[in-house]
Amino acid sequence: MSFKRIVKRLRTFRVWHRTIGVFVAIFLLISSVTGILLSLKKDVPLIQPPTQEISFSSTDTWLTIPELEQKSMLALQGKYPEQKENKVKRIDVRPSKGIAKVIFEEGNWEVQLNAINGEALSIEKRYSDWIESLHDGSIISNLFKLISMNILGISVIFMVITGLWLYFGPKRFRRLKKNRNNSSM
């Protein structure tokens, strides 16, 4: 490869690397910060309330899902009456701990219930789901998530390749130039 072609490629890669790098840096920063927060969710109660645990025997009968849903709605409305219109988004059952975590659609609310008698063990805000949707882009839409995460992945691969070329290219150029100068002597 000629010196002019190597220099031209280095300059082109440097421009592309810098331009794409600025764009990718914003998304990587968001993804990195939210990733750190998500890795701490079990250790920071503000992000996700600690999982409660009850003592029970394997023969205890659990409440049904509709009963758990009803008990959680009553518990949330009892403590926060303004949440009377809030609907259940999902119920995470934890058989080994004897509880059910009920997550609501609005306001990041989580109610943890004793799955045997329906007693509310915890009524707290849970921000981990919101942080996760920011982390993966689904906070905007699932289509945005699909497109942005693929573009981000491809861009990071491009940044690595061009970064390696920008690191090793000048070394190759200097070596070729040195060999050329030595052979012309």
Side-chain angles (χ1 to χ4, degrees):
M1 190 180 289
S2 72
F3 295 115
K4 287 183 182 181
R5 283 185 75 190
I6 291 173
V7 170
K8 186 176 179 180
R9 278 193 179 169
L10 280 171
R11 287 183 180 144
T12 302
F13 277 178
R14 194 170 281 122
V15 169
W16 279 101
H17 187 84
R18 184 176 37 241
T19 304
I20 291 174
V22 169
F23 171 76
V24 169
I26 295 165
F27 288 100
L28 282 176
L29 182 64
I30 292 169
S31 188
S32 298
V33 169
T34 55
I36 290 167
L37 291 173
L38 288 171
S39 73
L40 297 171
K41 72 181 180 182
K42 300 287 185 188
D43 302 313
V44 179
L46 181 64
I47 298 172
Q48 182 172 307
T51 301
Q52 304 297 312
E53 203 167 329
I54 64 164
S55 17
F56 66 100
S57 72
S58 60
T59 59
D60 290 333
T61 57
W62 284 34
L63 296 173
T64 64
I65 297 297
E67 289 172 323
L68 291 170
E69 183 177 2
Q70 182 185 26
K71 298 254 185 204
S72 67
M73 291 174 78
L74 289 172
L76 182 62
Q77 292 167 15
K79 190 167 183 181
Y80 301 99
E82 68 277 7
Q83 296 298 320
K84 68 180 178 179
E85 299 297 321
N86 208 344
K87 304 274 186 251
V88 171
K89 181 178 182 180
R90 72 176 189 266
I91 300 176
D92 295 339
V93 177
R94 306 294 168 102
S96 64
K97 300 187 188 250
I99 66 151
K101 289 184 175 186
V102 182
I103 292 89
F104 287 83
E105 288 179 358
E106 296 177 17
N108 303 308
W109 289 104
E110 173 189 275
V111 176
Q112 293 184 37
L113 298 174
N114 176 323
I116 296 162
N117 63 19
E119 173 192 358
L121 304 171
S122 167
I123 303 172
E124 301 285 334
K125 289 264 191 174
R126 172 191 173 112
Y127 294 103
S128 59
D129 295 340
W130 182 83
I131 293 169
E132 186 175 336
S133 68
L134 182 60
H135 178 73
D136 67 12
S138 63
I139 195 165
I140 295 172
S141 75
N142 283 330
L143 179 63
F144 179 80
K145 171 186 171 180
L146 177 69
I147 293 169
S148 67
M149 290 298 110
N150 282 302
I151 289 173
L152 184 60
I154 291 166
S155 298
V156 169
I157 292 169
F158 178 80
M159 295 298 291
V160 168
I161 292 169
T162 58
L164 288 170
W165 176 251
L166 290 173
Y167 179 78
F168 289 112
K171 292 179 184 290
R172 181 177 179 198
F173 177 74
R174 283 192 289 276
R175 189 175 55 242
L176 287 173
K177 194 173 180 182
K178 184 180 177 183
N179 289 342
R180 183 175 161 193
N181 288 340
N182 287 342
S183 63
S184 65
M185 289 180 158

